[in-house]
Amino acid sequence: MFRFKISTRTLVNGALSFLALAAIIALFFAYRGHARIAAPRLPISIEHLPYYAFCSFDRMLAAYFLALVFSIVYGMAAARGGIYERVMIPAIDIAQSVPVVGFFPAAVYFFVALANGSRFGVEMAAVFLIFTSQAWNMALGVFEAVKTIPADSAEALDAFGARGWLKFKRLLLPACMPKLVYNSILSWVAGWYFLIACEIITVGPANYHLPGLGSFLMDAANRGDKADLIAGLLALLAIIVAMDTIVWQPLSSWAEKFKYEFAASSGPAASLGMFDALAGIGPAVTRMLRLILVPPLRAISSAIERIPRVRILSAEASNRAARIARNTVIAIVVFFSGWAIAAGLLALARTLAQPWPADVRLIPSAIVASTIRMILAYLISLAWTLPVALAAGESPRFNRILSPVAEIIGSMPATALFPLIVLFVIRVTGGMNLASILLILTGMQWYLLFNLLAGINQVPEDLKEAARAFGLSRFARWRKLTIPAVMPSLITGSITAWGGGWNALILSEYFVYQGHTYEVLGLGALLDAATYKTGNGVMILLSLLSMIAVVIMLNRLIWRRLYDIATERYRLDY
C-alpha cells in the first residue's frame, strides 16, 4: 500500500536540494549585472521568412544533438542507482520545472556576457535555452528504459561477460531506442512551442531579438498582422511535416525492432518510408566513400606504425593510473561544486538582504492559484490522453495517424492561440482563469500522450495475443495488461508533464497581445512581470525559489515514490 509518510531523510534531502539550487541560481543573478547585452532590432518582413525558418531550424538541430548526447550519458549514469540516482534524478526533476525565463541569467552570463553581446554569444544562449526545453524528458526516458530492462536480459549478458562498450551497444542503447525516438519527437514539439522565449532574450529593459520564426511570430502577434502570423505558422507547419515524413515516421518504424517480445514476431517487416527510398543509393555511396577515404586512412595507419613503440603499462599500473585519474576528476568536480555553492550562498544572502518589493506578499496566494490551475490542467490532460493512447494501442492505423497529428498541433507556439483565446475565451468568460488553464494544457498534455504512446508500443504482441486467446474483453485487456504495462511510462509522462506545465506558466498567466497585457494572479505572472517589465532581480529570484520549493515538495512526496513503485511492480520480466 502506498503511504504518504514523510521521513526525516526526505525532509533533509529536500531541504539540501532546495538550498543548493537556490545558491546556484543566486550565483547566476549575482553576475547578471556584469552582462552588456546589445539590443539591435532586426527588420521583420515576410520576404525574409525562409531565412528565419533556416535560422530557427539550425538552432533546434544544434540544441537537439546536444540534448541527445546529454540524455544518453546522464540517463544511463543515473540508472546505475545508488548515489547517482539519488542526486541526478531529483536534479533533473527540478531543472525541467524551472521555466525557460529562469535560465536567462545563466544564458546571459555564460554566453552573451562572455561574447560581449555579440551575435555569436546570443546564438549560443538561444541554443542553450532551446536545449533546456528538450533535454530533460529525453534523459528521464533513457533512465526509465534502462531501469525497466528485464532482469533476465541483463543477467544473460552478464553471464557472457559483456561489459563496457559491448553491454552499451548490445543491451543499454537498444533498450533506449523506442523511448529516445518518441521523446525526441516530444523534444522537438517542446522546442517549437518555446521557440519565442528562446529567440527573444529579455532582461529588464535590455533585449535581443534573433532572426527566426519565434521572433517573427511574436512581432506579427504584437502588431496584430494576421497575414504575417499565418505565413509564419505555415512555414513552421511545412518544417514539421517535412521532419515527420523524412525523419520521425521512419525512425518510429525502425524503433519497433527493439521491442521486447517473448517469441519471434511473425508479422511483416515495417516500412522505413524515406529510408527505403534511399536504400538504393546506399551501395553507391559506400563505394564512393571507400574510394575517397581508404587511401588517406591507410597512409595515416602506416605513419602510426612507424612511430616508436612505448612500453605498455602493467595491469596493476594501469589500474593505479585509472584510480588516480578518477579520483582527480572527482576532486576537481567536488571542489568547483563546493565553490559554486559557497559563492552562491553568499550571493543569495546579499540578494535577499536587499529591499523586497511589495509584490512579495502575493507569492503565497500565487502558489495556491498556480497549483490549482496545474492540477486542473493535468486532470484534463489525463482524461483524454489515456483513452486516446489505449485506442491507438488497439488500432495500428489510428496509431500511425495520431503521432504526426499530435506532433503538428503540439508544435504550434502559444502565440498562435492568442487570437482565439482573446476572442472566444476571455471575452466570453470575462476572465483569464479558463484561458490560463487551456494554455497550461497546451504545454502539458503532449508529454503525457507521447510517453503513453511509447509505453503502449512497447507492450509485447505475444501478451496481447494471449489476452485475446483467453477471451478477455477490451476493457479487461486494458485493466489486466495494457494499463499495468504502461504505468512506468505514465508516471514518467506525468513528471515531465508537470515540468512542462510549470514551464507553460510563463505563457499562460501573462501575455501581451496587440499592445494589451492579459494577466492573472500566479507564479508565472509574477515571474514574467519581474523579468520583462521591472527587471527586479529580487522578485525574479523569490518567484523562482517559490516555484522550486513547490516542485521539490511534490517530487519528494508524490512523484518519486510513485515512480519507484511503478518501475519495481510493473516492470516487464520474463
Side-chain angles (χ1 to χ4, degrees):
M1 183 177 178
F2 183 64
R3 298 179 180 177
F4 287 90
K5 183 180 178 181
I6 305 175
S7 64
T8 304
R9 181 178 179 180
T10 299
L11 291 175
V12 171
N13 289 340
L16 291 177
S17 301
F18 175 76
L19 194 61
L21 196 61
I24 294 172
I25 291 176
L27 186 64
F28 290 151
F29 277 90
Y31 288 97
R32 182 176 61 117
H34 297 288
R36 296 291 180 267
I37 305 178
R41 294 303 303 270
L42 299 171
I44 303 293
S45 57
I46 198 168
E47 59 263 23
H48 296 137
L49 192 54
Y51 173 67
Y52 298 149
F54 175 79
C55 291
S56 293
F57 180 79
D58 276 0
R59 293 184 197 109
M60 289 279 292
L61 192 61
Y64 170 75
F65 279 117
L66 291 176
L68 181 63
V69 174
F70 168 84
S71 64
I72 293 174
V73 174
Y74 195 99
M76 290 189 179
R80 296 180 65 179
I83 188 66
Y84 293 96
E85 182 175 346
R86 290 197 299 271
V87 173
M88 298 175 76
I89 294 303
I92 207 168
D93 285 345
I94 297 167
Q96 69 159 345
S97 303
V98 176
V100 171
V101 297
F103 291 99
F104 278 6
V108 168
Y109 176 62
F110 283 109
F111 301 107
V112 180
L114 293 180
N116 296 319
S118 67
R119 167 76 179 274
F120 179 68
V122 182
E123 288 285 359
M124 289 193 297
V127 170
F128 168 74
L129 292 173
I130 297 172
F131 167 87
T132 63
S133 68
Q134 292 182 336
W136 319 130
N137 63 287
M138 292 174 64
L140 284 174
V142 171
F143 171 76
E144 180 207 328
V146 175
K147 290 288 285 186
T148 54
I149 290 175
D152 290 8
S153 297
E155 290 169 2
L157 208 63
D158 290 339
F160 284 103
R163 298 288 188 275
W165 169 252
L166 183 60
K167 185 175 183 179
F168 172 81
K169 178 182 178 181
R170 295 299 184 187
L171 177 65
L172 300 181
L173 189 60
C176 297
M177 277 302 167
K179 277 287 182 180
L180 268 179
V181 170
Y182 274 92
N183 279 282
S184 294
I185 299 174
L186 180 57
S187 291
W188 276 77
V189 168
W192 290 124
Y193 184 86
F194 292 108
L195 190 65
I196 290 171
C198 299
E199 290 184 345
I200 303 177
I201 301 174
T202 301
V203 182
N207 58 75
Y208 199 112
H209 287 226
L210 283 170
L213 285 176
S215 55
F216 180 88
L217 290 170
M218 176 59 82
D219 184 80
N222 288 337
R223 291 186 285 108
D225 192 328
K226 293 181 176 57
D228 281 4
L229 187 62
I230 292 173
L233 290 175
L234 288 177
L236 177 58
L237 179 64
I239 296 175
I240 294 169
V241 171
M243 283 288 294
D244 183 78
T245 304
I246 299 174
V247 180
W248 300 129
Q249 287 302 313
L251 280 178
S252 297
S253 299
W254 175 72
E256 293 293 314
K257 294 168 53 178
F258 301 100
K259 288 176 60 175
Y260 292 113
E261 298 287 358
F262 294 104
S265 175
S266 59
S271 171
L272 298 184
M274 285 294 293
F275 285 178
D276 284 341
L278 296 175
I281 64 172
V285 172
T286 302
R287 286 193 296 270
M288 181 184 67
L289 291 177
R290 186 177 297 163
L291 183 65
I292 296 173
L293 296 178
V294 167
L297 288 177
R298 284 178 177 171
I300 294 172
S301 177
S302 61
I304 293 175
E305 289 293 332
R306 288 194 293 269
I307 297 177
R309 300 289 183 180
V310 297
R311 187 172 61 88
I312 300 176
L313 295 176
S314 65
E316 182 181 352
S318 298
N319 292 334
R320 185 166 58 251
R323 285 196 302 270
I324 293 173
R326 183 173 63 252
N327 293 336
T328 302
V329 171
I330 293 175
I332 292 173
V333 171
V334 170
F335 172 77
F336 280 105
S337 299
W339 171 85
I341 292 175
L345 289 174
L346 181 60
L348 179 65
R350 289 177 178 173
T351 303
L352 297 181
Q354 300 176 18
W356 288 16
D359 287 345
V360 170
R361 59 184 174 79
L362 299 175
I363 288 181
S365 54
I367 291 174
V368 174
S370 293
T371 304
I372 291 174
R373 294 187 193 103
M374 290 279 293
I375 292 173
L376 292 174
Y378 174 75
L379 293 176
I380 296 172
S381 299
L382 189 61
W384 80 265
T385 55
L386 183 58
V388 167
L390 291 173
E394 295 289 331
S395 172
R397 181 181 179 185
F398 178 56
N399 195 354
R400 288 193 299 269
I401 296 173
L402 177 62
S403 181
V405 170
E407 181 190 349
I408 292 170
I409 299 174
S411 300
M412 292 293 106
T415 48
L417 304 174
F418 288 173
L420 295 176
I421 290 174
V422 172
L423 291 175
F424 297 105
V425 181
I426 296 178
R427 292 182 182 176
V428 171
T429 62
M432 263 283 291
N433 277 305
L434 179 58
S436 178
I437 293 172
L438 292 177
L439 280 172
I440 294 174
L441 195 67
T442 64
M444 178 181 280
Q445 57 195 357
W446 309 115
Y447 290 92
L448 271 173
L449 179 62
F450 280 99
N451 275 281
L452 286 170
L453 289 176
I456 284 176
N457 286 333
Q458 281 291 92
V459 179
E461 291 296 330
D462 319 65
L463 295 181
K464 293 181 181 179
E465 292 174 5
R468 296 189 191 99
F470 280 109
L472 295 179
S473 66
R474 178 175 299 178
F475 292 102
R477 291 199 303 270
W478 290 351
R479 184 169 58 89
K480 297 288 188 179
L481 172 63
T482 309
I483 293 179
V486 302
M487 280 302 295
S489 297
L490 174 60
I491 301 301
T492 299
S494 298
I495 295 172
T496 54
W498 273 75
W502 288 117
N503 242 305
L505 283 179
I506 65 173
L507 301 172
S508 65
E509 295 181 341
Y510 180 100
F511 65 86
V512 179
Y513 178 68
Q514 292 186 348
H516 190 278
T517 301
Y518 299 88
E519 60 182 311
V520 66
L521 178 63
L523 284 176
L526 295 180
L527 182 58
D528 274 340
T531 301
Y532 296 117
K533 287 173 62 176
T534 64
N536 190 306
V538 176
M539 191 63 198
I540 297 174
L541 183 60
L542 290 173
S543 301
L544 277 177
L545 294 183
S546 301
M547 186 177 295
I548 289 168
V550 176
V551 171
I552 289 176
M553 182 180 68
L554 292 174
N555 286 342
R556 289 286 177 177
L557 298 182
I558 300 176
W559 294 122
R560 294 315 312 167
R561 297 185 177 193
L562 288 175
Y563 189 84
D564 291 339
I565 292 173
T567 53
E568 289 299 323
R569 183 177 299 177
Y570 300 109
R571 65 185 296 167
L572 182 65
D573 276 319
Y574 295 99

